[in-house]
């Protein structure tokens, strides 16, 4: 048994709470708005889609929220996840920086996503939900929620972005293995899917479209709820088990991060690692640097506008204030399916806006190069999404080398890439398209932003 595991088991040190950063924000967030009335939404507006416990968490101001015991018992199957020091990578880079990483690939589905999937399935079960609908990009979220729903005996329909449905058969088969149904999106099962297909029968889908389909199906059926794998406050909060463990593990290592790094699609794995450290930064005036890493082809934080926008393409969700490329923007197909979302979590956007975090964007070739160097040094093949965090951490370590600084870096290695090896194949064969930032497409989508006075 590893020392870390012994510590957590014998001393019952496993964190028993999630951390809610809303309690420590120096400036409060702006509320989500009802798309019809443009007034702040209340719990009743969300009740058709989510169980009350999750709605309560979404707006809670409590700093600590208890993790129910049944959820903690399931977490025990893979938690605490290990925190490693990347000594071989440090040597390879010849950097004076110390690089640590928290590895979430040890979960049953190979990423951080089960941390919230299990919690969401649990709270749904408590309130009698029979069926859940959701969307998935590359399939990480769909397979994680399928795993969680199977534990609690809840039926699951997954709308999977068509380009991934066709290119990534293995994740679809994992969902099927857990007993979920998976449909290529846009589909002809929903009005929003049909509307898209009528305009463009060859539409390859996007997360924004798949969200519309899943929300629509949940809204139509009183026994069905909807679940989202990122972006929402309660989802980010469930992921803070990662950072709460990392705080204890860094203490065991006798170290504290100067720089925290994570990749951002909707913002959940990044938030999970960094929020507990940001809480300390706010409460104790620490000057921890926090860096969000995103793809150059879908750069919501670095190029998006901070405005109210819809979370989905079909304009069914509440309006949330976030960095967005426009809900009508369809990000170009890349191998990092989990990072292809037009917006960013409102909490992460807010933190960027108040200057508590920074953002950097990277191209997919430099990210795969970083991923390969990481695999050759540390033995773990990162998920394509996670290579953005690896690249960000390496960039920070090289900056330390240039400045002769021995800083401590901690990043979230949020998943392994075992089902994405085709992406590595394309990298080796030099088949990766150059990153395109579709500025014209973004500008067009931004013109279609909802008009808020
Ligand atoms: C889903 C996913 C992401 C992107 O989602 P976030 O909410 O930003 O974490 C990143 N990495 C992996 C491995 C994923 O499965």
């Amino acid at each position: 048994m590893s020392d870390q595991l012994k510590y957590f088991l014998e001393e019952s040190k496993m964190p028993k709470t999630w951390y809610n950063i809303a309690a420590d924000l120096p400036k409060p967030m702006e509320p989500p708005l009802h798309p019809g009335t443009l007034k702040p939404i209340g719990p009743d507006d969300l009740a058709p889609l989510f169980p009350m416990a999750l709605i309560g968490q979404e707006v809670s101001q409590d700093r600590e929220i208890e993790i129910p015991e049944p959820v903690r018992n399931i977490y025990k199957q893979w938690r605490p996840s290990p925190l490693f020091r990347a000594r071989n990578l440090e040597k390879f880079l010849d950097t004076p920086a110390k690089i640590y990483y928290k590895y979430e690939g040890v979960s049953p589905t190979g990423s951080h996503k089960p941390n919230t999937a299990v919690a969401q399935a649990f709270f749904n079960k408590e309130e009698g939900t029979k069926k859940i609908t959701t969307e998935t990009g590359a399939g990480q979220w769909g397979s994680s929620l399928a795993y969680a729903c199977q534990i609690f005996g809840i039926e699951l329909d997954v709308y999977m972005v068509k380009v991934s449905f066709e290119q990534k058969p293995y994740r679809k088969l994992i969902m099927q293995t857990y007993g979920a149904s998976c449909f290529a999106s846009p589909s002809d099962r929903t009005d929003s899917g049909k509307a898209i297909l009528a305009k463009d029968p060859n539409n390859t889908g996007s997360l924004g479209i798949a969200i519309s389909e899943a929300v629509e199906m949940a809204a139509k059926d009183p026994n069905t709820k909807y679940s989202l794998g990122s972006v929402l406050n309660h989802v980010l909060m469930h992921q803070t088990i990662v950072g709460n463990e990392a705080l204890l593990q860094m203490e065991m290592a006798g170290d504290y991060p100067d720089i925290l790094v994570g990749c951002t699609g909707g913002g959940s794995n990044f938030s999970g690692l960094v929020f507990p450290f940001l809480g300390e930064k706010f409460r104790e005036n620490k000057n921890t640097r926090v860096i969000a890493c995103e793809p150059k082809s879908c750069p919501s934080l670095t190029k998006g506008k901070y405005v109210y926008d819809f979370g989905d393409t079909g304009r069914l969700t509440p309006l949330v204030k976030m960095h967005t490329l426009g809900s009508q923007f369809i990000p170009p197909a890349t191998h990092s399916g989990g990072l292809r979302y037009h917006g960013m979590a409102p909490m992460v956007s807010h933190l960027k806006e108040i200057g508590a975090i920074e953002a950097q964007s990277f191209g997919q070739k430099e990210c795969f190069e970083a991923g390969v160097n990481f695999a050759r040094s540390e033995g773990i093949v990162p998920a394509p999404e996670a290579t953005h965090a690896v690249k960000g951490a390496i960039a920070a370590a090289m900056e330390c080398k240039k400045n002769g600084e021995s800083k401590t870096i901690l990043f979230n290695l949020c998943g392994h890439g075992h089902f994405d090896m085709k992406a590595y194949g394309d990298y080796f064969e030099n088949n990766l398209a150059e990153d395109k930032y579709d500025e014209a497409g973004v500008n067009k989508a931004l013109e279609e932003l909802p008009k808020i006075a």
Side-chain angles (χ1 to χ4, degrees), residues 35-336:
T37 63
L38 299 187
K39 296 251 170 5
I41 53 165
D44 290 350
D45 296 310
L46 295 175
L49 294 183
F50 302 103
M52 286 317 285
L54 294 177
I55 295 172
Q57 290 171 16
E58 189 64 17
V59 296
S60 171
Q61 296 292 316
D62 298 343
R63 181 174 290 132
E64 309 287 345
I65 292 185
E66 194 194 325
I67 308 174
E69 198 180 345
V71 174
R72 271 191 279 135
N73 283 338
I74 296 167
Y75 277 179
K76 272 186 202 155
Q77 190 188 343
W78 73 96
R79 309 214 68 88
S81 70
L83 182 134
F84 296 111
R85 180 158 167 201
R87 288 183 194 274
N88 289 327
L89 182 66
E90 290 169 18
K91 261 188 226 126
F92 171 77
L93 299 173
D94 187 27
T95 172
K98 287 187 268 184
I99 307 175
Y100 293 86
Y101 62 98
K102 181 80 166 148
Y103 182 44
E104 289 296 308
V106 293
S107 81
T109 57
S111 79
H112 63 287
K113 296 241 170 53
N115 296 330
T116 184
V118 169
Q120 291 190 47
F122 169 80
F123 289 113
N124 268 287
K125 184 69 184 178
E126 289 275 281
E127 294 183 32
T129 304
K130 299 276 180 288
K131 182 172 174 178
I132 294 178
T133 60
T134 196
E135 70 291 324
T136 194
Q140 283 277 15
W141 172 242
S143 53
S144 299
L145 192 60
Y147 153 75
C149 281
Q150 170 269 133
I151 297 176
F152 292 102
I154 300 172
E155 210 185 312
L156 176 67
D157 281 358
V158 182
Y159 291 84
M160 183 170 184
V161 175
K162 192 182 278 168
V163 58
S164 300
F165 185 92
E166 282 161 4
Q167 281 175 2
K168 305 202 166 175
Y170 293 126
R171 291 237 171 250
K172 183 172 62 194
L173 291 170
I174 298 177
M175 291 179 230
Q176 199 179 349
T177 303
Y178 289 129
S181 307
C182 182
F183 309 100
S185 166
S187 77
D188 58 9
R189 308 180 86 238
T190 65
D191 294 341
S192 38
K194 281 185 214 155
I196 301 265
L197 289 173
K199 266 200 257 173
D200 172 13
N202 298 320
N203 190 297
T204 53
S206 71
L207 275 174
I209 294 171
I211 293 174
S212 297
E213 293 205 275
V215 167
E216 182 185 325
M217 292 308 265
K220 278 180 182 163
D221 178 356
N223 292 318
T224 300
K225 296 283 188 225
Y226 164 72
S227 165
L228 188 61
S230 184
V231 178
L232 297 176
N233 301 347
H234 68 267
V235 179
L236 275 44
M237 187 192 72
H238 296 154
Q239 292 296 346
T240 60
I241 182 70
V242 176
N244 276 344
E245 286 174 7
L247 276 171
L248 296 169
Q249 288 166 314
M250 288 306 294
E251 198 181 312
M252 287 175 74
D255 225 332
Y256 194 89
D258 302 299
I259 303 171
L260 289 156
V261 179
C263 69
T264 44
S268 73
N269 87 82
F270 167 80
S271 303
L273 177 69
V274 311
F275 280 7
F277 290 92
L278 273 173
E280 294 201 335
K281 173 173 163 144
F282 293 141
R283 295 192 304 273
E284 299 165 28
N285 275 321
K286 288 195 153 78
N287 59 13
T288 321
R289 244 187 105 190
V290 181
I291 307 169
C293 302
E294 60 183 12
K296 274 205 182 338
S297 57
C298 192
S300 51
L301 271 178
T302 51
K303 293 258 167 92
K305 263 196 180 169
Y306 185 56
V307 288
Y308 273 101
D309 194 9
F310 291 97
D312 69 321
T313 309
R315 300 186 167 110
L316 298 176
T317 69
L319 295 167
V320 292
K321 187 131 186 212
M322 62 178 176
H323 289 88
T324 179
L325 301 168
S327 67
Q328 304 308 301
F329 177 64
I330 299 197
T334 67
H335 284 295
S336 297

Side-chain angles (χ1 to χ4, degrees), residues 21-31 61 282 306 321 346-356:
I21 199 169
D24 289 318
L25 288 175
K27 187 181 162 201
M29 311 237 319
E30 304 204 42
Q61 296 292 316
F282 293 141
Y306 185 56
K321 187 131 186 212
M347 268 188 168
V348 174
S349 293
H350 180 76
L351 289 162
K352 167 84 178 2
E353 205 57 22
I354 64 173

